[in-house]
């Protein structure tokens, strides 16, 4: 099992940028599909972005396509989420998650390891 710790959240004005980090320990994340999910108050947890194990293929929710970029640095055992052109509707707690191998990138029930989350607040 891999342990995950998110960081980089904070308060930013609409149109601004943030970079979230997900540091992994216990296992090498190169064998994992890594995902970012978010949850706003009163809403279900939703898929944001993923990077697939065994390569560099990525996937994004339509609401963030073109604005967010997921990447990984295997040497640092860290996954990043670069968020640009932030909107108030991006406000949520963002969670990093790991899925051993690859089955599906958008189903949170297939991710076995989760971080504690980091708050992102975008003011209008």
């Amino acid at each position: 099992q891999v342990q995950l710790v998110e960081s980089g959240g904070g308060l930013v004005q609409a149109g601004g940028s943030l970079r979230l980090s997900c540091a992994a320990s216990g296992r090498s994340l190169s064998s994992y599909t890594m995902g970012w999910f978010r949850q706003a108050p009163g809403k279900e947890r939703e898929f944001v972005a993923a990077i697939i194990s065994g390569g560099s293929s990525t996937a994004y929710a339509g609401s963030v396509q073109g604005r967010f970029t997921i990447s990984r640095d295997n040497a640092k055992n860290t996954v990043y989420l670069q968020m640009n052109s932030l909107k108030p509707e991006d406000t949520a707690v963002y969670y990093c998650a790991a899925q051993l191998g690859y089955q599906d990138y958008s189903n949170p029930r297939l991710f076995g390891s989760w971080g504690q989350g980091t708050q992102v607040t975008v003011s209008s």
Side-chain angles (χ1 to χ4, degrees):
Q1 187 171 336
V2 61
Q3 292 77 50
L4 306 173
V5 179
E6 304 98 331
S7 62
L11 175 64
V12 65
Q13 280 193 335
S17 298
L18 285 173
R19 188 178 75 159
L20 306 183
S21 298
C22 175
S25 61
R27 297 280 189 87
S28 173
L29 56 74
S30 63
S31 298
Y32 291 81
T33 292
M34 302 299 298
W36 286 97
F37 296 79
R38 66 188 183 188
Q39 188 166 23
K43 296 184 178 180
E44 294 185 348
R45 189 166 298 187
E46 65 174 346
F47 166 75
V48 176
I51 185 164
I52 311 303
S53 68
S56 58
S57 296
T58 58
Y60 300 91
S63 58
V64 306
Q65 182 75 46
R67 299 188 297 120
F68 291 11
T69 303
I70 187 172
S71 62
R72 72 201 309 163
D73 186 333
N74 289 334
K76 296 182 178 180
N77 218 30
T78 300
V79 175
Y80 304 95
L81 184 68
Q82 178 67 46
M83 305 184 294
N84 299 326
S85 302
L86 283 162
K87 305 175 181 179
E89 51 262 45
D90 295 319
T91 295
V93 176
Y94 283 70
Y95 297 91
C96 178
Q99 174 185 137
L100 183 61
Y102 173 70
Q103 297 181 65
D104 180 83
Y105 60 75
S106 63
N107 187 349
R109 301 189 68 173
L110 296 179
F111 289 79
S113 298
W114 292 82
Q116 292 300 116
T118 185
Q119 177 71 48
V120 172
T121 303
V122 184
S123 62
S124 60

